[in-house]
Amino acid sequence: MKKLLLLGDEAIGQGALDAGLSGAYGYPGTPSTEIVEYIQRNPEAIERNVHRTWSANEKTAMEEALGMSYAGKRAIVTMKHVGLNVAADAYMNSALTGANGGIIVAVADDPSMHSSQNEQDSRFYAKFALMPVLEPGDQQEAYDMPKLAYEISEKYHLPVLMRITTRLAHSRAGVERNDVLKENENHMPENKDQFMLLPAFARKKYKHLLLIQNDLEQESEKSPYNKYFDGKDRSRGIIACGLAYNYLMENFLDENCPHPILKIGQYPLPRSKVQRIMDECEEVFIFEEGMPIVEESLNGFLGNTKIHGRLDGTMDRDGELNPKRVREALGLPELPSRNIPKVVAGRPPALCVGCPHIDTYKALNDALKEYGKGHVFSDIGCYTLGYLPPYQAIDTCVDMGASISMAVGAADAGFFPSIAAIGDSTFGHSGMTPLLDAVISQSNIVVVIMDNDITAMTGMQDSQANGRIEEICIGVGVEKEHIRVINPLSKQHEENVKVFKEEIAYNGVSVVIPRRPCIHVYAKKKKK
Ligand code: SF4
């Protein structure tokens, strides 16, 4: 089999395809986006007709994957860590319905918040849901793990979470391919009530889920991804989870770490291996990307002075790990480092020159001049960059869809004017339901849906609401005459200011749609 040079994300996509994948579902979100993108353009996936379109949001993606699993085939659902919050209802319940055809829930976490609103660690969700986790330490494991994930998923009728973090998701390495497995045939679940969560069934299923935890732990004990490497110097032992193992070993390029190491790539934690390192070593250092979930569980409520990590201050509590931070925590002498060349200049984020949002914001700012600052509730996307000078056009950013809901709440408080700024794809993701709320409660708000024809920020994916925005707004009950489409161009500035002013003056729900494609849209669409 030929060797491929793959990003961690791409390795998951290829691994799932080679393990008999029939359907990939997801919503784009950095750093997870490339998993579905890879499957979308993969010639073998195209030839096999593997399902591979984006979903409206993470929750619908999770449910669609469950549907494919119900029908007996293998599915993958992908999202970034904050997307798992959106999918959480379906995700938590999927631990009770379980799987028929195997399901991988591939979640990419973003410690250090390179392009995210928080640092949450998806392993907490898996613990919450009592679901097994596979956490690759390199691209080869990211490729190999889907096969095991599907085996576990189908053996225990349970989805498996695959957790990856930014650095691995977005770095490349050579990957050795395995044989390609055949896709499952359609088949119904043996137990026809498996996917029926009536309380009487759910209670039984929850007991069953608790019962199999011990079996899942036994799977971890024998897992090839949980390895114990002995070392001569037992004054210290090291538990390294996922990518942290790579960071650790970059400090021992001769592979000659003198201390015992327990490398963790599968959860629940393998108790006897953990017990061994705790018994054999005087002190135990724990390195894990994200939150100190392993450290906390081994520490216990009253603490354990033998354990070192993020909780006792050996390392900072927040932020991404790297080889240097691991080195410092172990007290190893500093390595000589290269200076960053001058050509590598800092690039603060900014709207692209010629971005359509610029003219929208200029018009909106002028329309709002008489009301002062603080009136625009924003959503998540390129337009969030409108917070920065020189535009300073938006005032909030919380989560997907929050612009409209927050504007509704502020209007309920008597705040005027109350403006929501949202993009076309974000509107399709989670803006439609709060717009329905606004219509039902006759909120006095203006919703600005900035239609740039694409999901720009995550890399130009198709947008579900694209071409349907007016119909959706009419469908949820916005009056036709208060759905105004404008062209965000400087030559239209006066006209656009006038439209914004008119809709602010209207006492009810208005929608203004500034419509002009992102300047990168044609180049990207041409490539497809
Ligand atoms: S990518 Fe497109 S939408 Fe985003 S800032 Fe640039 S031009 Fe604007």
Side-chain angles (χ1 to χ4, degrees), residues 321-339:
L321 287 187
N322 58 39
K324 188 165 179 266
R325 287 182 76 182
V326 168
R327 190 172 187 87
E328 281 166 2
L330 290 172
L332 298 173
E334 204 178 323
L335 287 176
S337 61
R338 289 192 201 150
N339 291 331

Side-chain angles (χ1 to χ4, degrees), residues 123 241 244 286-295 310 321:
R123 294 175 302 163
C241 307
I286 300 179
F287 299 120
E288 50 192 326
E289 274 278 57
M291 294 176 165
I293 179 166
V294 171
E295 188 182 346
R310 290 186 190 258
L321 287 187

Side-chain angles (χ1 to χ4, degrees), residues 220-248:
S220 283
E221 291 287 2
K222 62 177 196 221
S223 170
Y225 301 111
N226 290 336
K227 283 192 200 139
Y228 196 97
F229 302 94
D230 211 351
K232 281 191 230 99
D233 181 355
R234 293 183 180 173
S235 61
R236 287 173 166 184
I238 299 166
I239 297 178
C241 307
L243 185 58
Y245 176 74
N246 241 334
Y247 292 149
L248 172 71

